[in-house]
Amino acid sequence: MPCLPESSLRHLPLVTLILSERCNSRCISCDYWRHGVAALDLESVRNLLPSLRKLGTATAVLSGGEPLLNRQWVEIASLLAEAGLEVWLLTSGLSLAKHARRVGELFRVVTVSLDGTDAATYAAIRGVDAFDVVCKGIRAAADAGVRVTVRVTLQRANFRQLIPFVDLTRRLGAQQVSFLAVDVANPHAFARHEGFQSDLALRPGELAELEELICALERDRAGALNCGFIAESPRKLRRILQYFAAICGLDTYPPVHCNAPEFSAVVDAKGRVSPCFFIAGPGDAWARDGLDQALNRADMVALRSAIRAGSRPECARCVCSMWRECA
């Protein structure tokens, strides 16, 4: 057996599986719902298990599109759980109330996207009139005993609801809320087609208002910050402000400290393997050939090296940098 190169991946704690390209939301920042068709099937996931065992994978994140639109999501989650993995669900929440009991049995963590604190804001961003349905789903999942967290994508339409998001998610029974800037600088994220254009980012005249809201959050919701109910520290929240300032041409993008491709990978609904959510892997890197082999191809190793060296432009504009101390 040939020796693996020095920068090969021998340990992969986390894998994200895109169970479905289809989605039941119609988000203005995403194109999965416009073009998505493919779904990852149970047999494909079963074929991943030898590689996951070999790589010591501990956590599988089921994402999309909307993973609950995959007709085999129960079987897939059960298979992974029975193999000893911790299974985490990322969902729009539209089907969560219907499936809350089963979700509570299969998933340790459920993260729900919630981009408005009222029906009108939610519908304007997510494209469907489902605010009450999603809130009901969050409550139902929390009542079922699962750890529910809420992810908010901050943008022009909802940034003034920064503090109300904290209060709403606490009332719904969620255990944490996190904030992320809407990604408008990476044209290929979220299955977007070439030429993505948007007016989702804050405008120059709104930056001071966001800064005031962050200061108010520090002052009036200090307890939620200190106990970790708000996932981000004030410093990380100000990275969101800097990102929007950079979009406006008034600042540089916040420096990125990320090694996600060193501890995680993404398998999409067609079975293609990528080093992270925002950067596509080589077009012919397929999970069916063995996830460990796909991740340790020469071109994938070179791609991770380029990411590590900071030479990929997507990284400089990333809204979701992650750092983990790797064993």
Side-chain angles (χ1 to χ4, degrees):
M1 183 177 188
C3 293
L4 293 173
E6 186 63 30
S7 55
S8 64
L9 276 183
R10 297 174 174 85
H11 186 53
L12 188 79
L14 173 69
V15 64
T16 296
L17 306 179
I18 307 298
L19 288 202
S20 176
E21 293 179 336
R22 296 169 56 229
C23 192
N24 46 12
S25 292
R26 300 291 183 266
C27 298
I28 55 179
S29 61
C30 177
D31 273 353
Y32 271 121
W33 63 272
R34 298 179 191 275
H35 312 294
V37 175
L40 202 59
D41 61 37
L42 178 63
E43 193 59 30
S44 296
V45 177
R46 193 187 307 279
N47 290 338
L48 286 174
L49 292 181
S51 289
L52 297 180
R53 284 192 290 268
K54 183 175 181 180
L55 292 164
T57 304
T59 302
V61 179
L62 305 189
S63 185
E66 171 50 53
L68 296 183
L69 291 182
N70 185 312
R71 294 182 180 181
Q72 295 181 306
W73 73 266
V74 171
E75 292 84 355
I76 290 171
S78 299
L79 176 70
L80 293 167
E82 289 165 4
L85 279 78
E86 178 181 294
V87 193
W88 180 1
L89 175 66
L90 303 185
T91 176
S92 67
L94 272 71
S95 303
L96 197 51
K98 176 182 178 182
H99 299 297
R101 183 188 61 80
R102 200 72 178 102
V103 165
E105 293 170 352
L106 292 170
F107 296 95
R108 184 174 179 272
V109 181
V110 174
T111 297
V112 182
S113 297
L114 183 65
D115 291 333
T117 60
D118 57 70
T121 304
Y122 182 92
I125 294 173
R126 306 290 296 186
V128 291
D129 182 12
F131 174 73
D132 291 337
V133 171
V134 174
C135 289
K136 181 180 178 182
I138 293 172
R139 289 192 189 96
D143 289 344
V146 69
R147 173 179 168 81
V148 181
T149 67
V150 169
R151 166 57 64 86
V152 178
T153 304
L154 284 180
Q155 51 200 281
R156 286 191 64 230
N158 69 4
F159 80 95
R160 294 181 179 89
Q161 299 177 351
L162 181 66
I163 293 176
F165 273 120
V166 176
D167 298 339
L168 173 62
T169 53
R170 192 183 289 279
R171 290 197 305 273
L172 293 176
Q175 296 190 29
Q176 190 177 64
V177 59
S178 64
F179 296 96
L180 188 72
V182 64
D183 185 327
V184 296
N186 183 344
H188 303 293
F190 305 104
R192 295 168 184 157
H193 284 206
E194 193 70 37
F196 169 78
Q197 299 292 328
S198 76
D199 189 28
L200 307 182
L202 273 65
R203 295 172 180 171
E206 296 165 328
L207 298 175
E209 191 175 354
L210 176 56
E211 185 170 19
E212 290 174 5
L213 289 169
I214 295 172
C215 290
L217 190 70
E218 288 183 87
R219 181 185 66 245
D220 300 334
R221 300 296 185 273
L225 284 163
N226 294 337
C227 74
F229 182 80
I230 301 172
E232 290 75 25
S233 65
R235 180 183 63 82
K236 287 188 176 181
L237 290 172
R238 286 187 170 83
R239 285 177 57 88
I240 296 175
L241 176 63
Q242 185 180 347
Y243 173 83
F244 285 129
I247 294 292
C248 294
L250 300 175
D251 204 339
T252 58
Y253 286 97
V256 171
H257 186 54
C258 180
N259 67 345
E262 307 298 329
F263 66 82
S264 65
V266 176
V267 178
D268 75 12
K270 296 183 177 72
R272 292 175 300 202
V273 181
S274 295
C276 81
F277 187 78
F278 294 94
I279 299 177
D284 58 344
W286 296 94
R288 64 171 178 253
D289 300 325
L291 181 59
D292 53 322
Q293 294 184 43
L295 289 171
N296 288 303
R297 293 163 39 130
D299 48 5
M300 188 74 84
V301 169
L303 178 55
R304 285 199 304 274
S305 296
I307 295 169
R308 193 182 309 116
S311 60
R312 293 290 302 208
E314 301 96 330
C315 296
R317 303 187 299 265
C318 186
V319 298
C320 189
S321 61
M322 295 188 293
W323 181 268
R324 175 172 176 160
E325 296 298 333
C326 297

